[in-house]
Amino acid sequence: MLALSGLILFFSLYTSLVASKFLPENERCVTAIYTAYGYLTFAADPDVGFWETRCQNPLEVTSIYAASDLYCLPFEREAGIAQLAKLCRQFSHLDLIPREQVAENLTRDALRRMPVVKYLEIPRKHLLNTPVLLAPSYYDIVFQTIDTWEFQTWTHYAYGLVGYGFWLGILGLGIVQRLVHHVIHSEVVQTSYRSSPGLRRLCVPFQKIYHWVQMHLVVPHPLQSQGRKLLWWTFPTRLEAVIVFFFWVLSMVVCTVSYRLIPNNIYWPDKQSQLLRYAADRTGILSFANLPLLWLFAGRNNIFIWATGWSFATFNLFHRHVAWIATAQAIAHTFLYLFIMYEKGRLLKKLQKPYLLWGTGATVLMVLILPLAIQWLRHRAYEIFLLLHIVFSVGLLVGCFYHTIIFSDHGYWTYLWPAVAMWVMDRVLRLVRLLYCNIHVRVNAGNRILYTKSLASYDHSADVIRLEVAPGSKRLCPTPGQYYYLYQPFRLTGWESHPFTLGHWFYEADYKDASPTPPLAKGDHSIDVTQVPLLSDSSSESTHTAEELQLKRDAPRGLKLVFWVRPYDGWTRQLRDQCMRSPTLSIDKTILLEGPYGDQFPLWNYESVLLVAGGTGIAAIIPYIHEHILRTVEDPEQAASQTRDMQLVWVARQASFIRQIAARELAPALTRDDFRASFYSTEKRNPHEHDRVESMDDLDIAQGRPNVESLVLAHAHAAQLSESSVAVLVCGPVALADQTRAAVHLALKRGYKGIRYVEESFSW
C-alpha cells in the first residue's frame, strides 16, 4: 500500500502544479483590459519598456482603471489590480501607479468624456494623448481570447494528468489484486476455506468471475490466431494488450479533443491558425508529461514491480509503448510548429534559435531510439542497443531542458526533473546492489574483505556454461523466482550487465573439519530452512536424497549460486570462447552480481503442479522443486505446502545436459513418490537409430518434442477429478511458452477450473 500511497501523492502533486499554472477566473477581467491596451500606444513618460509603460504611464494606467470600473465586478477588479501590481514589481521592479493618484480622472463625468476605441480602430503607431475607454466589442474580443487561451492551457496540462490517472488506476488495481491474492492464500484463510462448506459456497460467485477473467483476459494471447503478435508488436497476454490499447486510444483522444476555436481571436485571427497552435502546444506538453512514465517503467528498481507482483517484462512492455506514444506526440509537435513557421515565412530564421535546435534534436533522438529498440535488433546486438539507448536518452533529456529554458518559470522542467531523479535513483540502487552482493567486510576475522569469486565451466556436449558464483556478501538469501544481472568488469565493455535466472544454490563449509549434524528433526525451529544445502558441493559426483539433506552448525558456510548460460552472441559467446581456450574448459573469472530481482510465486498453495521447461529454462524450475522438497521433508502430512503432486516436463536440445542436471540438481526429487518427470531431447540422432527412447542410468529421455496440449489437458483432467487446484509453471523458449499457454486456455474453455498459469520468463 506504500507504493499506492506514493503514486497518489505523485498524482496529487502534479494536480496542484497544474492548477497553479492557470489564471484564476477573478483575474481575467483586468487581464483582458490591460492586454487590450497593449495594442494601443500612449504618449507621455515613461515610454522605455513594455512593463514600465503599462505600470507607470499615467495615460495607460488611468485607462486601465477606467475600463476596470466599467467592465469588472468589484471582486474581479480588486483581484485583477492586485495581480497587475504584482506583475509590475516582478517584471519592471516598479510599483503600479496607485488609483488615488489618478482618481480625479476616474469620476463619472471624466469617464463619460473619455474617447471610446474599437478593436484595430487606431494603429499602434498613433500616439494617444488622453486616456481612452475600450468599446464593448473590443473588450469582448480580448476577453474571449484570454478566456479561450486559459481554457486551452488548462486542457493541455489537465490532459497530461489523464495519463497519470490512467496508470494510477492500472497500478492501483494491480496492487489491490496482489493484496487480495496474498490474503486469500494466507494459511488462516486457506484453513478456514477447506474446513467450512458455507464459506466455499459463498466464494462460488467470485470463483466464477475469477475463472472468466483468467479465461478471457489473463491467460490467452491477444489474438489466438496470431499468437503474441498484434500488428508489429508483441504482447504475451490479452490483458496487457487491452491495457496498452486503451492507453493508445486515450492518448489519441486527448490529442484531438477540446479545441475551442473563436472568430476574431486577437492572437490568431483565423480558426486554422488557432487549431495549429493549440494542437502544437498540446502534443508537446503531452509528450513531456509522458517522460516521467517512460523512466518509471524502465527502471529495474521499480517499487511497483514489487507492489503489483508483475514482472519486469510487463513494465518494460509498458515502457516501450509509452515511448512510442511520446515520440509520436513529439513528432507531431515538431512538425506542427515547423508548418506554422513556414506559413509565416520565418522558418530558416527561426530555426537558427538555439532552443528550437535543441527541441528538434531531442525529437530526432526519440525517433532514432525507436528502430534501435526493435526486438530483432535488441536480441542480436544487445550491447550496441544498450549503449545507444543510454546515450540517446541522456541527450533527449538535455535537449528537452534547453528547449524549454526560454520559459522564465521553467514550468516544463516539472516533467523533466522526476525523470532525472528516477534515472539517478535507479543507477544508485544498482550500485548499492552491486556492493551489497559482492563485498563483505569481516570485522571479526582480521578485518578481511570478502569479494565475489566465480568459476565458469563449458560443456561442449551440452553446449551450456555452468557458472558457479560465490558472492562476497553473506546476507543473500536465495529464493525461487530470483534473477541477477551479471557483470564481467575487467573487459572492454565491463559496464554491461546481462540478466540470468538463478538456477540453483548450495552451501559448503569454509573449513574442511566442520562436523556434520544429524538430519533435520521435526519441530526444530532453531534451524533456518533457507540455509539447508540442497545438494553437496557440486564438484562431488555423489547424489543425495531428501532425507540426507543436513546442516553444518557452528561452521561458517559459503553460499554458491549456480547459473546455466547458453552461449549465443555477444558476452555469452565471449565467455564460452574464454572457457574453450582453457585446457580444462574452465576459467576463474571475476563475475559481479547485481540483485536479487524477481518475485517468488507461491506454488505451495496449489495441490497439483505441472512444470514445463525448455532448455536452460530449467533454471527457473529447479528452485521451485527444491522449495517443495524443503517444505515436505519433515512430515508430508503436516508440511508447509499443499502440493501433493508435482510433474516436470523438460525438453532440451542436448540429452547430455538433461543427464547432467538429472544426476545432480534433480536427483533428490527423482526418488520421491510425489514427483514425476518426463524428459525430451530434440537433438538429431543417427538415422540408423530407430529407438524413440534413450535410456541411460535408468533415465528415460524421449526423442522429439512433447505434446504439451495433451499433457496439460490430462493434468487438468486428473486434478478436476480429485478436486485439486492446479498451477502450470512454464519457462523456456517463446514457442514452448505459447503452446503451454494455449493448452491452459483450452483447458479453461473446456470448463476446468482452478488452473493458474505462470510464465517465468525475462524479456527486455
Side-chain angles (χ1 to χ4, degrees):
M1 297 306 292
L2 177 62
L4 183 59
S5 301
L7 190 60
I8 294 174
L9 179 62
F10 178 81
F11 182 74
S12 301
L13 174 62
Y14 263 92
T15 302
S16 62
L17 289 172
V18 168
S20 67
K21 293 181 179 293
F22 309 123
L23 185 65
E25 290 188 8
N26 61 352
E27 297 178 1
R28 295 182 186 180
C29 179
V30 174
T31 300
I33 289 171
Y34 67 68
T35 300
Y37 284 117
Y39 288 83
L40 301 173
T41 305
F42 291 89
D45 293 330
D47 189 17
V48 293
F50 179 81
W51 279 101
E52 288 79 3
T53 302
R54 175 172 290 176
C55 301
Q56 285 290 306
N57 188 307
L59 299 179
E60 184 166 352
V61 173
T62 302
S63 300
I64 292 173
Y65 282 127
S68 300
D69 291 344
L70 183 61
Y71 295 113
C72 301
L73 297 174
F75 73 93
E76 293 176 326
R77 187 164 54 246
E78 180 180 357
I81 293 300
Q83 180 236 17
L84 177 59
K86 178 181 177 182
L87 294 176
C88 288
R89 290 189 295 270
Q90 179 180 350
F91 293 112
S92 67
H93 305 290
L94 296 171
D95 290 325
L96 176 67
I97 295 177
R99 182 185 180 89
E100 295 76 13
Q101 189 172 326
V102 294
E104 61 182 16
N105 296 322
L106 299 175
T107 62
R108 290 186 178 181
D109 290 339
L111 293 178
R112 282 197 298 267
R113 291 194 300 269
M114 280 188 186
V116 177
V117 179
K118 296 180 180 179
Y119 179 54
L120 299 181
E121 179 183 4
I122 300 178
R124 298 190 70 166
K125 294 181 179 180
H126 180 77
L127 295 180
L128 297 174
N129 297 306
T130 181
V132 297
L133 284 174
L134 301 175
S137 60
Y138 191 178
Y139 168 77
D140 289 340
I141 289 173
V142 179
F143 182 85
Q144 288 297 324
T145 299
I146 298 295
D147 188 62
T148 300
W149 173 254
E150 291 300 324
F151 170 78
Q152 294 300 156
T153 304
W154 178 85
T155 57
H156 299 337
Y157 287 98
Y159 287 164
L161 286 175
V162 168
Y164 298 132
F166 175 85
W167 291 110
L168 173 65
I170 295 298
L171 296 177
L173 288 174
I175 294 170
V176 171
Q177 180 268 341
R178 181 175 174 82
L179 179 62
V180 171
H181 192 267
H182 176 74
V183 172
I184 290 176
H185 285 88
S186 64
E187 185 176 351
V188 174
V189 173
Q190 287 293 312
T191 302
S192 301
Y193 179 80
R194 290 192 295 270
S195 61
S196 174
L199 180 60
R200 289 200 295 271
R201 286 193 298 270
L202 184 63
C203 292
V204 169
F206 299 100
Q207 290 174 342
K208 290 182 178 179
I209 296 173
Y210 177 80
H211 178 78
W212 186 93
V213 172
Q214 290 287 315
M215 182 171 62
H216 293 288
L217 291 176
V218 176
V219 173
H221 291 306
L223 297 174
Q224 287 303 113
S225 60
Q226 302 282 336
R228 299 185 180 217
K229 291 294 182 182
L230 185 61
L231 300 177
W232 53 85
W233 292 309
T234 300
F235 296 96
T237 70
R238 183 174 297 172
L239 181 60
E240 292 170 339
V242 168
I243 291 173
V244 169
F245 171 77
F246 276 112
F247 189 60
W248 270 97
V249 171
L250 180 67
S251 299
M252 288 187 288
V253 168
V254 296
C255 283
T256 55
V257 301
S258 300
Y259 291 115
R260 184 186 293 177
L261 309 179
I262 62 173
N264 299 320
N265 188 302
I266 64 172
Y267 300 145
W268 308 283
D270 61 279
K271 293 184 178 181
Q272 178 183 331
S273 299
Q274 296 173 46
L275 181 60
L276 286 172
R277 175 56 188 267
Y278 297 154
D281 289 346
R282 174 82 60 83
T283 51
I285 292 173
L286 292 179
S287 182
F288 265 61
N290 277 319
L291 293 180
L293 294 173
L294 197 61
W295 261 264
L296 174 66
F297 293 150
R300 297 177 189 173
N301 299 280
N302 184 347
I303 188 174
F304 296 109
I305 294 179
W306 166 82
T308 60
W310 299 341
S311 65
F312 175 80
T314 297
F315 280 92
N316 198 256
L317 173 70
F318 296 155
H319 160 76
R320 292 197 297 271
H321 282 272
V322 172
W324 275 96
I325 293 170
T327 302
Q329 291 165 341
I331 293 172
H333 169 75
T334 302
F335 275 97
L336 286 172
Y337 262 109
L338 289 175
F339 183 77
I340 291 172
M341 290 183 288
Y342 173 78
E343 278 200 325
K344 293 182 177 180
R346 297 181 297 173
L347 179 58
L348 295 179
K349 183 178 180 181
K350 280 280 188 180
L351 283 179
Q352 296 175 10
K353 295 188 175 181
Y355 80 94
L356 287 176
L357 292 176
W358 281 107
T360 304
T363 301
V364 170
L365 289 178
M366 293 181 76
V367 172
L368 291 176
I369 289 175
L370 289 183
L372 294 174
I374 294 175
Q375 186 176 5
W376 184 89
L377 181 60
R378 293 201 315 270
H379 288 186
R380 285 162 177 77
Y382 175 74
E383 290 82 2
I384 296 176
F385 153 76
L386 185 62
L387 176 62
L388 294 179
H389 201 74
I390 293 173
V391 172
F392 286 0
S393 297
V394 173
L396 158 67
L397 282 177
V398 172
C400 288
F401 271 108
Y402 279 101
H403 177 55
T404 55
I405 199 172
I406 62 172
F407 297 97
S408 58
D409 62 347
H410 295 159
Y412 293 105
W413 290 7
T414 305
Y415 295 115
L416 302 179
W417 283 120
V420 173
M422 283 184 281
W423 187 83
V424 171
M425 182 61 66
D426 182 62
R427 298 289 162 169
V428 170
L429 290 176
R430 291 187 192 186
L431 179 60
V432 170
R433 287 180 184 264
L434 271 169
L435 296 176
Y436 173 79
C437 290
N438 300 288
I439 297 178
H440 177 67
V441 180
R442 299 183 64 172
V443 180
N444 298 327
N447 294 331
R448 284 200 304 148
I449 298 179
L450 303 181
Y451 56 90
T452 297
K453 300 178 181 179
S454 62
L455 177 67
S457 304
Y458 176 65
D459 188 296
H460 189 274
S461 61
D463 191 28
V464 170
I465 302 169
R466 179 185 176 94
L467 181 62
E468 294 185 4
V469 181
S473 173
K474 297 300 181 181
R475 299 182 180 88
L476 292 182
C477 296
T479 63
Q482 288 184 348
Y483 63 91
Y484 289 79
Y485 286 86
L486 305 183
Y487 297 77
Q488 189 175 353
F490 302 115
R491 53 194 294 262
L492 183 61
T493 56
W495 49 269
E496 295 171 357
S497 59
H498 302 263
F500 291 95
T501 301
L502 175 60
H504 175 52
W505 63 90
F506 59 91
Y507 295 85
E508 59 179 8
D510 289 341
Y511 302 103
K512 294 182 180 180
D513 60 349
S515 58
T517 61
L520 290 174
K522 178 182 177 181
D524 187 354
H525 301 291
S526 64
I527 297 175
D528 181 2
V529 296
T530 63
Q531 305 299 310
V532 178
L534 296 173
L535 290 174
S536 64
D537 186 345
S538 63
S539 63
S540 174
E541 294 299 325
S542 62
T543 61
H544 302 268
T545 63
E547 289 74 13
E548 293 173 324
L549 298 176
Q550 58 184 359
L551 291 172
K552 297 182 179 180
R553 288 195 187 92
D554 303 325
R557 293 177 299 277
L559 171 65
K560 282 197 175 182
L561 308 180
V562 179
F563 303 89
W564 291 292
V565 180
R566 177 79 69 184
Y568 290 109
D569 295 324
W571 177 70
T572 56
R573 183 178 59 185
Q574 294 175 20
L575 185 62
R576 180 200 61 187
D577 294 342
Q578 294 173 37
C579 292
M580 294 183 67
R581 285 194 291 268
S582 170
T584 61
L585 297 181
S586 299
I587 57 171
D588 184 3
K589 290 287 185 179
T590 300
I591 303 292
L592 301 182
L593 301 165
E594 179 201 322
Y597 296 96
D599 195 29
Q600 181 178 8
F601 182 80
L603 275 184
W604 58 86
N605 286 327
Y606 295 86
E607 296 159 314
S608 181
V609 174
L610 175 62
L611 306 169
V612 182
T616 54
I618 192 66
I621 304 297
I622 288 176
Y624 284 103
I625 297 174
H626 290 166
E627 175 78 8
H628 172 66
I629 295 174
L630 286 177
R631 285 177 174 270
T632 58
V633 70
E634 295 182 355
D635 187 347
E637 297 300 324
Q638 300 183 16
S641 174
Q642 298 181 36
T643 304
R644 298 294 177 262
D645 172 49
M646 181 174 283
Q647 179 182 359
L648 169 65
V649 178
W650 182 19
V651 53
R653 184 182 308 159
Q654 293 84 2
S656 59
F657 183 38
I658 297 176
R659 288 193 293 271
Q660 290 175 16
I661 301 300
R664 292 196 291 196
E665 283 76 16
L666 287 178
L670 292 175
T671 61
R672 295 174 60 93
D673 295 332
D674 61 351
F675 182 84
R676 295 172 291 149
S678 302
F679 303 106
Y680 298 83
S681 172
T682 60
E683 65 181 341
K684 294 183 179 180
R685 299 185 61 191
N686 190 315
H688 299 290
E689 298 180 22
H690 301 290
D691 296 334
R692 184 178 179 276
V693 177
E694 173 186 357
S695 179
M696 179 174 290
D697 299 330
D698 297 325
L699 186 68
D700 292 336
I701 303 177
Q703 293 298 311
R705 301 181 185 277
N707 189 327
V708 176
E709 181 179 299
S710 298
L711 290 169
V712 171
L713 291 178
H715 199 93
H717 180 69
Q720 188 87 338
L721 293 177
S722 61
E723 297 183 349
S724 300
S725 58
V726 181
V728 179
L729 176 66
V730 61
C731 183
V734 172
L736 180 65
D738 286 348
Q739 293 174 17
T740 309
R741 183 185 292 274
V744 172
H745 185 224
L746 180 60
L748 289 171
K749 290 196 296 184
R750 291 186 177 181
Y752 295 111
K753 299 179 180 178
I755 305 177
R756 180 67 184 272
Y757 176 81
V758 185
E759 187 173 312
E760 288 279 356
S761 63
F762 185 92
S763 62
W764 28 263

